RNA sequence: AGAGAGGUGGCCGAGUGGCUUAAGGCGCACGCUUGGAAAGCGUGUAUACGGUAACGUAUCGAGGGUUCGAAUCCCUUCCUCUCUGCCA
């Protein structure tokens, strides 16, 4: 959510930047400013009325104490009419504030200068491409065939006990999953991210603060009896750890990493591109989250991008980095870099990580502030990224490392797996 | 899950309808004092919104209600602690 004051100060620039998302923001911004004027005027009136009412109440108290009941009762008459007016104003204030907030909820974050304009993924800008695409032997298979051949992932078993999109990993497949999680967490903690283990269910307040609720309610699994939501990403519980906090400027940056399973209903997505591990209802992910001083968030984002790139280099997977265009940018992000690994057997790029700077957009909804050196409380910047999401990394390892003898394990993972070949 | 007790500022803690503008203490900051420190003394020390400002308004877990007036009374709800039950 954007702050009204910033919209007021940078109206023209914001409208221009939002054009990159293909959005004409002028009407909604005008509505916001109008609603805000209305809100302020209403509050000023209400405050005056309440002040009068408060002082009358005090007088009444004094009159009663001094035994002047008649005088007190006369004043009571006055306050009752004040009360009616203030009640009406209060209702109006609440409704106008709600209107204002609902309007603000519809405005996405302002894309940064670097973000290219564009409609969809075809307009994304490649900023880096690295790693040789392996040449596979004749008869190379997609990962879902490899999984069956080596008996390491069982999709049918998942269907039996739960449903489609809930795979069962077994034997070396399960061990490789655990190896990847440990490897990613070790890389992240070595880069000074503090490891957290967090609940996999969150309450409504957390869902609202990070923006999953109310808009994307249908995307999350909801446990009705206890009114809790299964997390779609560790971003939700980890970011909410700091909800409502006022941290000391010296404590920044705060860097966290957390492994969690992620649960997504993915309602309405079917087709050839969602086969195998490409899109799941439950998958594992290691997330990195940073809370930064506004002056430092651009640098922090660069660090995170470099960090993720280094993990892919270590795994020796061919990858590219895309700077998302305005149209492909998620609602809350000011700038996002996607990492895609080339899956040779499927002959397509698979998104394995997405690293974003949300600036104050999330922090405003979270009420996450810090005390700056000038003593003022300001909204912090939040950033997050996957480092990494497991299924597509696993898929591309299986596909790119396949040989007629079996699937080679990337060197850095061998100590974590305890074997160097799946065959 | 049942019974009981609670939730007050950065922390502890008083406060059962109006001198509460939340006492008092601790902590913290600044000043005085000192050769320097400690002690002592003094001053200050929440957040949000509105206002150029003076200042005003709101907030005592959250949300409603009663009242001219609520930290205080009533209702709902969340959380914590103790005992009982259940349990990896």
């Amino acid at each position: 959510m954007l702050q009204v004051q910033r919209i007021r100060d940078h109206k023209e620039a914001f409208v221009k930047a939002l054009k990159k998302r293909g959005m004409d923001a002028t009407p909604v911004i005008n509505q916001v400013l109008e609603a805000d004027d209305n809100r302020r005027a209403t509050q000023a009136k209400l405050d005056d009325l309440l002040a009068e009412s408060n002082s009358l109440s005090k007088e009444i108290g004094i009159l009663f104490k001094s035994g002047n009941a008649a005088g007190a009762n006369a004043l009571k008459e006055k306050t009752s009419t004040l009360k009616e007016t203030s009640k009406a104003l209060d209702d109006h204030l609440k409704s106008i504030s709600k209107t204002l907030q609902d309007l603000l909820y519809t405005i996405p974050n302002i894309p940064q200068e670097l973000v290219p304009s564009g409609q969809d993924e075809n307009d994304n800008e490649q900023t880096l491409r690295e790693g040789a695409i392996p040449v596979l032997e004749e008869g190379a298979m997609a990962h879902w065939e490899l999984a069956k051949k080596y008996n390491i992932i069982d999709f049918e078993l998942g269907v039996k006990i739960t449903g489609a999109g809930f795979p069962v990993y077994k034997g070396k497949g399960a061990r490789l999953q655990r190896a990847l999680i440990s490897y990613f967490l070790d890389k992240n903690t070595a880069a000074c991210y503090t490891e957290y283990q967090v609940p996999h269910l969150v309450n409504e307040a957390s869902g609202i603060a990070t923006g999953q609720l109310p808009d994307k309610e249908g995307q999350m699994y909801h446990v009705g009896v206890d009114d809790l939501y299964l997390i779609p990403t560790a971003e939700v519980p980890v970011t909410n750890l700091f909800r409502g906090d006022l941290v000391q400027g010296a404590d920044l940056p705060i860097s966290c990493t957390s492994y969690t399973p992620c649960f997504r209903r993915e309602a309405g997505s079917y087709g050839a591109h969602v086969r195998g591990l490409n899109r799941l209802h439950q998958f594992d992910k290691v997330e990195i989250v940073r809370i930064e001083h506004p002056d430092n968030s651009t640098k922090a984002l660069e660090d995170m991008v470099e960090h993720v790139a280094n993990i892919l280099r270590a795994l020796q997977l061919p990858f590219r980095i895309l700077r998302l265009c305005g149209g492909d940018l998620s609602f809350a992000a000011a700038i996002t870099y996607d990492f895609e690994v080339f899956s040779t057997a499927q002959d397509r790029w698979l998104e394995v990580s997405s690293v974003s700077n949300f600036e104050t957009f999330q922090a405003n909804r979270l009420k996450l502030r810090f005390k700056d050196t000038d003593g003022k409380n300001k909204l912090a910047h939040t950033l997050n990224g996957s480092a990494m999401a497991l299924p597509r990394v696993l898929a591309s390892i299986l596909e790119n490392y396949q040989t007629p003898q079996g699937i080679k394990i990337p060197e850095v993972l061998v100590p974590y797996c305890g074997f160097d070949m799946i065959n």
Side-chain angles (χ1 to χ4, degrees):
Chain A
M1 184 170 60
L2 296 170
Q3 299 154 86
V4 179
Q5 194 54 52
R6 283 185 64 217
I7 296 178
R8 198 175 281 284
D9 293 345
H10 307 286
K11 184 178 163 184
E12 301 308 321
F14 279 14
V15 167
K16 186 162 171 256
L18 285 169
K19 282 216 166 76
K20 288 201 276 194
R21 288 183 180 267
M23 177 185 185
D24 176 15
T26 309
V28 67
I29 283 183
N30 285 334
Q31 282 178 284
V32 162
L33 295 182
E34 193 185 320
D36 188 52
D37 287 339
N38 192 339
R39 191 196 106 253
R40 290 202 271 186
T42 307
Q43 190 183 330
K45 264 192 251 171
L46 178 62
D47 283 358
D48 285 349
L49 266 167
L50 289 175
E52 193 181 345
S53 173
N54 284 345
S55 80
L56 279 174
S57 287
K58 243 167 238 167
E59 279 184 55
I60 291 170
I62 292 163
L63 288 173
F64 269 125
K65 283 245 148 125
S66 64
N68 186 350
N73 285 323
L75 285 182
K76 270 199 200 180
E77 298 283 320
K78 257 174 110 176
T79 54
S80 68
T81 58
L82 274 181
K83 209 182 163 187
E84 273 173 44
T85 325
S86 68
K87 177 78 182 136
L89 272 176
D90 189 48
D91 288 345
H92 182 62
L93 182 62
K94 275 182 183 150
S95 108
I96 193 73
S97 302
K98 174 80 166 58
T99 305
L100 176 60
Q101 192 176 56
D102 288 346
L103 284 169
L104 289 172
Y105 279 166
T106 66
I107 306 177
N109 204 353
I110 307 302
Q112 286 186 1
E113 198 67 31
L114 274 175
V115 173
S117 33
Q119 296 247 302
D120 53 36
E121 67 268 18
N122 298 313
D123 300 319
N124 293 339
E125 197 178 288
Q126 181 174 305
T127 62
L128 184 76
R129 178 163 166 185
E130 238 187 77
I133 291 171
V135 180
L136 299 180
E137 304 271 337
E138 190 71 16
M141 296 181 208
H143 69 267
W144 51 87
E145 292 168 317
L146 293 165
K148 198 162 205 159
K149 178 176 175 187
Y150 295 109
N151 195 24
I152 50 174
I153 308 172
D154 195 324
F155 292 96
E156 287 75 26
L157 213 44
V159 171
K160 175 181 165 187
I161 59 168
T162 307
F166 291 91
V168 173
Y169 304 86
K170 54 185 175 181
K172 285 184 171 175
R175 182 63 188 261
L176 182 52
Q177 282 282 104
R178 183 153 58 91
L180 283 167
I181 293 164
S182 298
Y183 176 67
F184 293 149
L185 283 172
D186 284 355
K187 286 296 246 189
N188 296 344
T189 51
C192 290
Y193 291 89
T194 303
E195 184 174 347
Y196 280 78
Q197 280 202 22
V198 292
H200 300 162
L201 287 95
V202 292
N203 57 28
E204 190 187 19
S206 296
I208 290 172
T210 31
Q212 281 71 30
L213 295 174
D215 324 356
K216 298 175 209 150
E217 172 137 35
Q219 311 270 4
M220 286 194 291
Y221 288 96
H222 181 223
V223 182
V225 274
D226 294 303
D227 198 19
L228 295 172
Y229 296 84
L230 274 75
I231 56 171
T233 159
E235 172 195 337
V236 177
V238 172
T239 311
N240 269 284
L241 295 172
F242 307 97
R243 163 154 48 93
D245 282 5
L246 175 61
V247 302
Q248 293 303 314
D251 294 339
L252 298 177
I254 297 170
S255 308
C256 313
T257 184
S258 186
Y259 152 70
T260 67
C262 303
F263 303 90
R264 298 185 182 180
R265 295 188 62 229
E266 301 289 0
S269 56
Y270 299 99
H273 282 179
V274 304
R275 278 197 78 174
L277 295 169
N278 290 351
R279 192 177 294 278
L280 300 169
H281 288 306
Q282 178 178 333
F283 64 95
D284 294 301
K285 182 157 64 68
V286 179
E287 185 81 357
I288 49 178
V289 172
R290 286 171 73 149
I291 297 164
E292 288 281 349
H293 190 286
D295 293 345
N296 199 42
S297 72
T298 297
K299 172 74 170 58
L301 184 71
E302 286 167 16
D303 286 352
M304 291 167 81
V305 167
E306 189 58 19
H307 177 66
V308 173
N310 280 332
I311 294 176
L312 290 174
R313 285 179 189 125
L315 290 171
Q316 296 188 306
L317 291 169
F319 70 96
R320 64 179 186 182
I321 303 178
L322 302 174
R323 188 185 285 135
L324 295 192
C325 72
D328 210 21
L329 206 57
S330 75
F331 191 79
I335 184 166
T336 296
Y337 290 94
D338 269 8
F339 285 75
E340 296 186 338
V341 166
F342 193 74
S343 166
T344 313
Q346 292 183 68
D347 192 29
R348 55 188 283 244
W349 293 92
L350 297 177
E351 183 192 330
V352 292
S353 176
S354 185
V355 181
S356 305
N357 186 354
F358 301 97
E359 299 185 346
T360 59
F361 196 85
Q362 272 190 331
N364 190 31
R365 210 152 157 173
L366 283 163
K367 296 284 167 274
L368 166 51
R369 293 157 304 151
F370 71 100
K371 198 170 275 295
D372 207 352
T373 42
D374 60 9
K376 294 223 172 79
N377 299 328
K378 298 175 184 168
L379 292 173
H381 280 196
T382 61
L383 304 94
N384 70 45
S386 11
M388 324 258 303
L390 288 248
R392 295 180 196 152
V393 171
L394 180 62
S396 53
I397 288 174
L398 296 180
E399 293 177 7
N400 287 337
Y401 278 87
Q402 60 183 307
T403 70
Q405 292 74 42
I407 295 157
K408 271 184 64 195
I409 299 298
E411 211 175 308
V412 291
L413 293 178
V414 173
Y416 289 88
C417 284
F419 52 85
D420 60 5
M421 192 71 130
I422 296 174
N423 46 24

